[in-house]
Amino acid sequence: MSTQAETFEFQAESRKLLQLMVHAIYSNKDTFLRELVSNASDALDKVRLESFRDKDLEVDTSDPHILIEADRQHRTLTVRDNGIGMSRDEVQDLIGTIAKSGTAELLQQLKETQDGAAAQELIGQFGLGFYASFMVADRVTLLTRRVGESTGTRWDSTGEGTYTIETVEEAPQGTAVTLHLKAEDQEDSLLDYTDSTTITNIVKRYSDFISWPIRMEVERTDSEGTTTRQLETINSMKALWARPKEEVAEEEYREFYKHISHDWNDPLETIHLRAEGTIEYQALLFIPSVAPFDLFTRDHKRGVQLYVKRVFIMDDCEELLPEYLRFVKGVVDAQDLSLNVSREILQQDRQIQMMRRRLVKKVLSTVKDMMSEDPDRYAKFWDQFGQAVKEGLLNDVDNREQILEIASFESTHDPESRTTLREYIERMKDSQDTIYYITGSSRSKVENSPHIEAFRDKGMEVLLLTDPVDEMWVESVPEFDGKRFQSIAKGQVDLDGKDEDGKDTEREQEFADVLSWMSTKLADDVKEVRLSSRLSSSPACVVSDSDDMGPTLEKMYRAMGHELPPVKRILEVNPDHPLVSGMRESYDRNGQSRELEETAELLHGMALLAEGGELREPAQFTSLLANRLAQTL
Ligand code: ADP
């Protein structure tokens, strides 16, 4: 077998990130050890599981542990585990590339950020795992052998563009990562990573809760002054979630969060829960402070790990939290499940379902408390995760009311901050019995859309819903607290509170002829042309019929590949606008004409443009408009 080392190049993106690491901008370099220990701990979890599932596997699980070895003379630090190890292919895939989705976006954002602290935050949010080693080392070697395989793999890199991979005949089970420490770090006594006290302190700080022993040779001086070196376990191995809340320090929660989430930021909120009684479990959940880059990609994993009686069972346990809470990270430790529980069993397990119900309620109520106790923190939460939470309005009917309670929306009431539905209702006029909203792609578009004019004039508040998911949930959520949701771009609105009989019938009759003529002329594009009560300064707007889908939703469905019949909308015109009253006079006086027909087309086009919509035939519209303008010169 060839043992020759093959050289590979890092992908361009990985290389850029590595360069950032090598010339590190972090203030806290110690965290590299947390990343390595965390990986080693995961590898031990995996080997335990695998040996459990596959009884024939040739594997040593007699003494799973992590060993940290420092070599002062050669200035190296090695983190060794006897866990699952990696095959050659895995080394290439997992270590040779920073394969995380979002790398490109990260680099783009870094390019746009001038500010160093912001850049650091961005990278932190991304998490660099194994690569963090290059903050303190100018060369890293990794020797690994996967359980069940007979040969091992050595990976070697200075982090400067290339790495080598070599197959080796002899290697112990698991992985050893050796850092050749940078010289400059050695000069700083605080950062002597070959000193066992330094390492012990870092481990205690970041990794104390790791459930496997982390061992290191430590120097001990006895009362007679004799110094001996002995192997000690330097972490307490206490499962954080199993300890009473009162006894866990904030910092321990934070470090635990970083361990399980691979996020470098502190969590926004910690939820520590202990259930006793019919089903017994402990949960330690976290809401991150920053949404991951891939929150809205299809393969985003859910962040809750399942343990049974302190034993790790699986990552991304989908059964424990619904998809719309996929950003929640943490651990759930159930006392009464079987250790060899599978995903199939979980899906039907009644206990899991009860736990899930309880966990969802707890997360939602935590956000609700945050809302009243710390509005700024809540605002931060909603900025990051509101869009995901709103998906729950579609999928989690049982908790709909609760989700609406914790939701907040932009509104015409205040350009600076969002409003809750409760606050909206409190401000509602006495005569108003519905919650008005408009959907669209951006605040500025909907805010300036003609539909909103009369509402603004009358001082009526309108919610401005600009997330794509808003288009969907407003279609399926009928009301909040007995108040119906009503789109101001749909159906009839009657802001004066008059009923059908109170309509301005005289006006209707006056315009009846010209409107019915326009309706036939524009029949390809609109269902109907009618007088509007929602306009004050614009000549016209287009609205959807009450039961039809709005244009954005229609577009979304088409983009998803759904075949839809064309949805025609309604053109509403403002009888008080000189253009519209002028058209009526012209029609009454001269009947139909080519010019009037063109004016009707222009009117329809303008209404579409005003709401930020698209014209069916932009070229035709422009040429009509240009000719008309030419006549005025
Ligand atoms: P992350 O841990 O955030 O996924 P890393 O770059 O630290 O990113 O590691 C990438 C992958 O390499 C891990 O997900 C794991 O599959 C593998 N890996 C890293 N360290 C080890 C190890 N000590 N033993 C086995 N596999 C490892």
Side-chain angles (χ1 to χ4, degrees), residues 191-208:
L191 289 173
D192 180 3
Y193 297 119
T194 59
D195 177 45
S196 63
T197 312
T198 306
I199 295 295
T200 306
N201 288 339
I202 299 177
V203 167
K204 280 214 182 310
R205 171 136 185 244
Y206 295 116
S207 315
D208 193 58

Side-chain angles (χ1 to χ4, degrees), residues 70-76 186 194:
D71 182 336
R72 221 169 232 182
Q73 203 186 344
H74 297 101
R75 296 211 332 272
T76 62
Q186 292 297 299
T194 59

